[in-house]
Amino acid sequence: MDSPTPVLGPLLHEGKAKRLYATADARLCAVEFKDTATAANGRHQVYVPGKGRLNCRISSQLFTLLEQGGLPTHFQGLLGDGWMLVRSLRMIPLEVVLRNRAAGSLLRQLPTVAGQPLAPPLLDFYFKDDALGDPFLSEARLAVLNIVTPEERMRLETMARQVNSTLHQALGRIDLDLVDLKLEFGRDHTGQLLLADELSPDNCRLWDQQQHPDSPERILDKDRFRQGLGGLVDAYRTVNQRLQALDLKPRHSDSRVKS
Ligand code: ADP
Ligand code: UDP
């Protein structure tokens, strides 16, 4: 049965995949996962019923896994189906991308072969700015932007590598190969850095180790949409079903966040 939609404060932000709402507690906000799939920085968008709920469930489980491993995240609990309660953060406009294997844009930029292992995992920063097309940042360009201190940059890199290795290991146990992923971080009111946003097949590549390496059926992430393969929701459902074996049990929060 559907859970009731939580009672919320004003809409704070509508992005391509989620809506953020204020709650009665200024330190918390509610996130609604939308049933849309976008590619090419939002220029290509379709309605995909069921995707939002799956991404919310998958993200909640993966945030729970990281919290259990001692990694600080914004996740506070599930609200209704497709909704989660998070710490309200000042976001850092960076996309931190980790790659365990070569795929996607890397194949167009470096002489690499799809699936080529990258050890240690490759970590890159991109400037999160749709109008500029999320450009790649060298260390020098990151310094010009002046949005993180050198200490924060190191902390971001350490946290991102820990997140990647924890997820890579856990997903491997359920035959999901974590090829790459994009992370976002924010600061809480004390300045502490927390992992934020979402952890779903929208922002990582997952290959099914139960499928032949050359089969398109191994793709269980947004590349199904980007490459016009179809079966996006079925793929996300497979990821969610496999995660059940990890028995993560995300916390539930009180849905009456504002009365
Ligand atoms: P986009 O804005 O890139 O289109 P989304 O539709 O996913 O992406 O919108 C979610 C927005 O909320 C993003 O801008 C993201 O940086 C931001 N965000 C994620 N987690 C938090 C948080 N805990 N506090 C404040 N903002 C957040
Ligand atoms: N990614 C993302 N948001 C972006 C760009 C990339 O979530 O705006 C994710 C993407 O899903 C993949 C990883 O980051 O898991 C690396 O993406 P890549 O640089 O290969 O870009 P792509 O070719 O996917 O646009």
Side-chain angles (χ1 to χ4, degrees):
M1 208 179 72
D2 284 356
S3 329
T5 301
V7 182
L8 306 164
L11 177 68
L12 299 174
H13 173 86
E14 174 153 11
K16 296 184 290 295
K18 301 187 285 298
R19 293 185 190 95
L20 261 71
Y21 292 88
T23 71
D25 183 337
R27 292 163 307 177
L28 301 175
C29 55
V31 182
E32 178 190 12
F33 286 69
K34 292 165 43 171
D35 281 340
T36 48
T38 61
N41 256 342
R43 290 191 297 279
H44 183 194
Q45 177 164 338
V46 293
Y47 174 57
V48 187
K51 174 175 165 288
R53 287 170 186 211
L54 285 163
N55 274 353
C56 182
R57 289 179 200 168
I58 293 167
S59 290
S60 308
Q61 291 171 84
L62 295 178
F63 280 127
T64 300
L65 173 81
L66 295 173
E67 291 277 356
Q68 287 172 357
L71 287 158
T73 83
H74 71 160
F75 181 69
Q76 293 292 291
L78 276 164
L79 293 169
D81 207 5
W83 291 80
M84 64 168 67
L85 190 66
V86 301
R87 299 269 294 277
S88 186
L89 304 180
R90 282 172 294 126
M91 293 300 289
I92 299 171
L94 289 176
E95 298 193 340
V96 187
V97 172
L98 286 118
R99 300 174 194 271
N100 299 303
R101 293 184 183 278
S105 67
L106 193 72
L107 304 177
R108 301 188 289 273
Q109 294 164 2
L110 291 182
T112 45
V113 175
Q116 177 183 323
L118 300 164
L122 181 62
L123 183 151
D124 288 321
F125 290 101
Y126 295 80
F127 183 36
K128 184 175 160 68
D129 186 313
D130 280 347
L132 295 178
D134 299 340
F136 172 81
L137 293 173
S138 63
E139 208 159 312
R141 287 178 182 212
L142 182 56
V144 169
L145 278 179
N146 198 25
I147 48 183
V148 287
T149 64
E151 294 73 28
E152 283 179 324
R153 183 193 161 280
M154 279 169 60
R155 174 83 184 126
L156 283 182
E157 181 157 345
T158 304
M159 283 172 73
R161 288 194 182 281
Q162 286 171 344
V163 168
N164 177 53
S165 78
T166 304
L167 294 180
H168 186 258
Q169 218 175 5
L171 293 168
R173 297 211 305 271
I174 50 173
D175 290 339
L176 298 175
D177 190 0
L178 179 63
V179 170
D180 58 27
L181 81 165
K182 182 267 296 179
L183 303 174
E184 290 185 29
F185 293 86
R187 301 180 184 92
D188 71 7
H189 64 287
T190 68
Q192 193 201 357
L193 293 176
L194 303 181
L195 179 66
D197 206 46
E198 67 179 281
L199 296 169
S200 78
D202 267 12
N203 47 36
C204 67
R205 288 193 166 91
L206 293 170
W207 290 353
D208 187 353
Q209 291 170 324
Q210 294 175 3
Q211 297 286 336
H212 189 277
D214 296 332
S215 164
E217 292 318 302
R218 77 176 168 162
I219 297 174
L220 295 178
D221 55 67
K222 202 164 86 171
D223 272 352
R224 297 205 71 83
F225 172 65
R226 294 188 188 102
Q227 298 177 19
L229 297 171
L232 189 76
V233 166
D234 285 344
Y236 286 29
R237 202 172 283 128
T238 299
V239 172
N240 187 47
Q241 276 164 359
R242 291 264 178 100
L243 281 171
Q244 306 312 306
L246 299 180
D247 199 22
L248 291 163
K249 297 199 177 62
R251 253 190 321 271
H252 286 255
S253 291
D254 182 0
S255 64
R256 290 180 306 281
V257 289
K258 182 167 185 171
S259 51

